[in-house]
């Protein structure tokens, strides 16, 4: 049975640069390890995908809708349909003094960010630093090896998958995050450790907005999303009293 728009699926994939075969992303730990891109903080497993959402590039979604559960396929995507062509205007020469003002000593290959846009230092020539703000895969044809693992029918599991993709808090334990579907309302009771954010309030709010948007757009029965932080008073611990610690007088009375 073909995959439909707004279906939720579990997807394994490996993304490669077509011309070189270099792996730039994968859901397989052994592939990431072999390619030298393994992230120790990443949990390698099939990703949850809402077909047609903004999680992947549009061309890839089109190809996925031609597949069925259990299918494996290799999809080639030209640069213009992938991460775009290289834009010369996104390559900037920045005076070295601007780096010195911030106490930064740039080097070739150094990642930097300017007004939220990531870039990389390409060359350093005298008093000027050439920084490329193009996507690292811009101008490159790519290919994806895909495997449709299964479809997801349970609404709570769908939302957990979206949380994993869009919330991005390293403290969040999805196993301790409760999802309650109450009619048209999805209540997300976050694991208590999620309260110890290492991000700004703006970043946390944006993450919650992204999760909510994907729920609205891909789960038509949900009209409202509530994020709930709960902190309960811990139960007092009972003290164990060993027989040898019973006061001598009480022991005699027995």
């Amino acid at each position: 049975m073909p995959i439909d728009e707004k279906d939720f699926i579990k997807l394994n994939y490996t993304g490669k640069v077509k011309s070189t075969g270099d792996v730039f992303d994968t859901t397989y730990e052994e592939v990431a390890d072999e390619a030298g891109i393994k992230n120790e903080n990443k949990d390698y497993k099939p990703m949850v995908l809402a077909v047609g959402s903004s999680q992947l590039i549009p061309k890839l979604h089109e190809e996925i809708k031609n597949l069925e559960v259990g299918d494996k396929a290799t999809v080639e995507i030209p640069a213009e349909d992938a991460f775009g062509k290289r834009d010369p205007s996104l390559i900037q020469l920045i005076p070295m003094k601007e780096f010195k003002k911030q106490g930064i000593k740039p080097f070739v290959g150094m990642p930097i960010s300017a007004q939220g846009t990531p870039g990389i230092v390409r060359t350093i020539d005298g008093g000027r630093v050439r920084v490329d703000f193009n996507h690292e895969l811009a101008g490159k044809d790519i290919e994806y090896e895909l495997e449709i693992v299964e479809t997801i029918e349970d609404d709570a599991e769908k939302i957990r998958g979206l949380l994993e993709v869009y919330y991005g808090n390293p403290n969040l334990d999805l196993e301790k995050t409760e999802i309650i579907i109450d009619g048209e309302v999805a209540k997300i009771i976050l694991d208590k450790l999620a309260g110890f954010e290492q991000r700004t309030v703006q970043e946390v709010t944006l993450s919650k907005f992204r999760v909510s948007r994907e729920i609205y757009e891909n789960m038509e029965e949900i009209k409202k999303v509530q994020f709930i932080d709960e902190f309960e008073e811990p139960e007092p611990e009972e003290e164990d009293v060993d027989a040898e610690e019973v006061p001598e007088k009480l022991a005699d009375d027995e």
Side-chain angles (χ1 to χ4, degrees):
M1 184 175 179
I3 303 298
D4 291 328
E5 187 85 8
K6 296 188 179 181
D7 275 355
F8 279 72
I9 64 172
K10 286 189 178 181
L11 172 74
N12 270 322
Y13 68 86
T14 296
K16 300 179 180 179
V17 177
K18 183 180 176 182
S19 60
T20 63
D22 291 339
V23 175
F24 59 84
D25 194 12
T26 184
T27 56
Y28 298 102
E29 185 173 3
E30 63 275 14
V31 174
D33 195 19
E34 184 177 347
I37 62 168
K38 182 178 176 181
N39 183 346
E40 297 297 338
N41 296 320
K42 180 177 178 179
D43 188 10
Y44 288 89
K45 61 182 180 181
M47 73 173 291
V48 173
L49 171 70
V51 179
S53 72
S54 59
Q55 285 175 257
L56 300 177
I57 55 181
K59 183 68 174 178
L60 201 50
H61 282 282
E62 293 176 17
E63 297 294 338
I64 287 173
K65 285 187 284 186
N66 294 323
L67 302 176
E68 299 182 7
V69 174
D71 281 354
K72 294 182 179 181
T74 298
V75 177
E76 297 182 0
I77 304 178
E80 57 267 27
D81 292 327
F83 297 94
K85 296 181 178 180
R86 290 186 61 77
D87 183 352
S89 69
L90 295 178
I91 300 175
Q92 300 180 14
L93 289 174
I94 301 176
M96 178 66 80
K97 63 182 181 181
E98 296 299 325
F99 290 90
K100 289 183 178 180
K101 286 180 183 178
Q102 300 181 50
I104 299 173
K105 186 176 181 180
F107 56 87
V108 174
M110 177 182 181
I112 67 171
S113 178
Q115 296 181 340
T117 302
I120 189 167
V121 174
R122 296 296 186 191
T123 62
I124 299 175
D125 184 12
R128 297 188 301 179
V129 180
R130 183 169 171 264
V131 181
D132 188 354
F133 289 100
N134 281 284
H135 190 283
E136 61 179 344
L137 295 173
K140 297 179 180 180
D141 298 337
I142 62 175
E143 64 178 27
Y144 278 94
E145 296 173 358
L146 307 174
E147 178 189 10
I148 311 299
V149 179
E150 63 179 325
T151 56
I152 300 173
E153 303 299 333
D154 181 73
D155 286 342
E157 189 175 355
K158 291 177 183 179
I159 294 175
R160 287 184 202 280
L162 294 175
L163 283 169
E164 188 167 23
V165 172
Y166 289 103
Y167 193 73
N169 176 10
N171 292 326
L172 183 65
D173 186 343
L174 288 175
E175 297 300 320
K176 296 180 181 178
T177 297
E178 187 177 358
I179 312 293
I180 300 173
I181 308 298
D182 185 5
E184 297 181 341
V185 180
K187 299 179 181 181
I188 303 173
I189 304 174
L190 296 173
D191 166 36
K192 65 180 66 177
L193 288 179
F196 297 93
E197 293 282 357
Q198 299 174 5
R199 302 175 293 173
T200 65
V201 172
Q202 290 85 351
E203 289 173 323
V204 174
T205 301
L206 180 58
S207 294
K208 291 179 178 179
F209 170 77
R210 286 172 173 167
V211 172
S212 300
R213 181 191 61 191
E214 293 299 328
I215 292 174
Y216 296 143
E217 292 182 354
N218 298 286
M219 301 175 65
E220 295 179 354
E221 65 277 16
I222 302 299
K223 305 301 181 185
K224 181 184 291 187
V225 178
Q226 297 177 347
F227 281 87
I228 303 170
D229 293 318
E230 285 191 346
F231 298 91
E232 296 181 358
E233 182 180 2
E235 294 288 339
E237 295 183 3
E238 295 184 4
E239 296 185 5
D240 293 330
V241 180
D242 295 333
E244 60 187 23
E245 295 178 349
V246 175
E248 186 174 330
K249 184 176 185 307
L250 291 178
D252 291 342
D253 291 342
E254 293 177 356

